[in-house]
Amino acid sequence: EVQLVESGGGLVQSGGSLRLSCAASGFTFSDYWMHWVRQAPGKGPVWVSRINSDGSSTSYADSVKGRFTISRDNAKNTLYVQMSSLRVEDTAMYYCVRDSRYNPESWGRGTQVIVSS
Amino acid sequence: QSALTQPRSVSGSPGQSVTISCTGTSGDVGNYNYVSWYQQHPGKAPKFMIYDVSKRPSGVPDRFSGSKSGNTASLTISGLQAEDEADYYCCSYAGSYTWMFGGGTKLTVL
């Protein structure tokens, strides 16, 4: 069974940093592209970032470009996102998502990030 | 880029059918057959219900079906059941390995 377990969220002041992690199990992690998707309260999900299977290629939404860095450790079956210069509008539930042929197939339960002013 | 457009809410009685629309552009829904749908109950992670416009993952009841015409995709739920009450989101591949999501539709089973 595919399992994605996010961690690392919390309350941080505007301008601060956080590193989120996503532990993957139940599948061959190194075979899949992975993404971070966030969802603010009462809103639809928004794509944040993606990384290819070996970590050599990444892309970001314009809203986080230059502030967030996605990475992965295939030996540890773990996905990361380093978030810096956090803004109030970054407040959301952050989900780790497995990509299956251009579809966001499997989602974790999410980790909450709250950025206070 | 704006989110895909979904109705804010739909409702139906048990046993009836409802359809939720998802309107995008020629850059996402209209250009790719990678439209997916998700069911989300309060406080839970989204559940994958439909992919590639009309395919169902194993375990999803055949009461759920998807289709697409032009820039608009649709999710139809037939034989409504109380447990179908949830928020539903559409998603489309939008090129350059990115996804566009809808704003969500709240389904109420009357």
Side-chain angles (χ1 to χ4, degrees), chain B residues 1-50:
Chain B
Q1 282 181 307
S2 300
L4 305 179
T5 301
Q6 298 181 233
R8 294 289 298 270
S9 63
V10 297
S11 62
S13 300
Q16 289 187 331
S17 294
V18 294
T19 296
I20 301 172
S21 62
C22 169
T23 301
T25 70
S26 58
D28 39 64
V29 175
N31 198 34
Y32 302 100
N33 287 323
Y34 298 121
V35 176
S36 49
W37 289 89
Y38 302 84
Q39 177 191 68
Q40 187 175 35
H41 288 106
K44 303 294 186 182
K47 178 184 176 184
F48 195 45
M49 303 298 286
I50 295 286

Side-chain angles (χ1 to χ4, degrees), chain A residues 10 12-18 20 37-41 48 61-65 67-68 83-94 111-116:
Chain A
V12 62
Q13 284 197 321
S14 180
S17 299
L18 274 178
L20 307 184
V37 173
R38 68 186 182 186
Q39 186 174 23
V48 173
D62 288 343
S63 58
V64 306
K65 201 171 293 182
R67 301 187 298 121
F68 288 17
M83 306 187 297
S84 60
S85 302
L86 282 163
R87 305 168 180 166
V88 171
E89 54 265 37
D90 294 319
T91 293
M93 184 71 78
Y94 283 73
T111 186
Q112 182 72 50
V113 171
I114 300 173
V115 184
S116 67

Side-chain angles (χ1 to χ4, degrees), chain A residues 69-89:
Chain A
T69 302
I70 190 172
S71 62
R72 65 192 296 161
D73 186 335
N74 285 343
K76 294 183 177 179
N77 292 336
T78 303
L79 176 72
Y80 305 98
V81 62
Q82 177 69 47
M83 306 187 297
S84 60
S85 302
L86 282 163
R87 305 168 180 166
V88 171
E89 54 265 37

Side-chain angles (χ1 to χ4, degrees), chain A residues 35 39 45 101-104 108, chain B residues 38 40 45 52 89 97 99 101:
Chain A
H35 301 248
Q39 186 174 23
R101 286 186 58 251
Y102 306 109
N103 291 285
Chain B
Y38 302 84
Q40 187 175 35
D52 290 355
Y89 297 93
Y97 308 110
W99 291 320
F101 291 89

Side-chain angles (χ1 to χ4, degrees), chain B residues 49-73:
Chain B
M49 303 298 286
I50 295 286
Y51 69 101
D52 290 355
V53 176
S54 60
K55 298 177 182 176
R56 278 187 309 276
S58 61
V60 173
D62 60 7
R63 303 186 294 104
F64 292 83
S65 62
S67 62
K68 189 184 89 166
S69 177
N71 295 340
T72 299

Side-chain angles (χ1 to χ4, degrees), chain B residues 88-103:
Chain B
Y88 290 83
Y89 297 93
C90 61
C91 174
S92 175
Y93 179 67
S96 301
Y97 308 110
T98 65
W99 291 320
M100 187 69 68
F101 291 89

Side-chain angles (χ1 to χ4, degrees), chain A residues 8-28:
Chain A
L11 175 63
V12 62
Q13 284 197 321
S14 180
S17 299
L18 274 178
R19 187 198 200 200
L20 307 184
S21 300
C22 169
S25 61
F27 64 102
T28 304

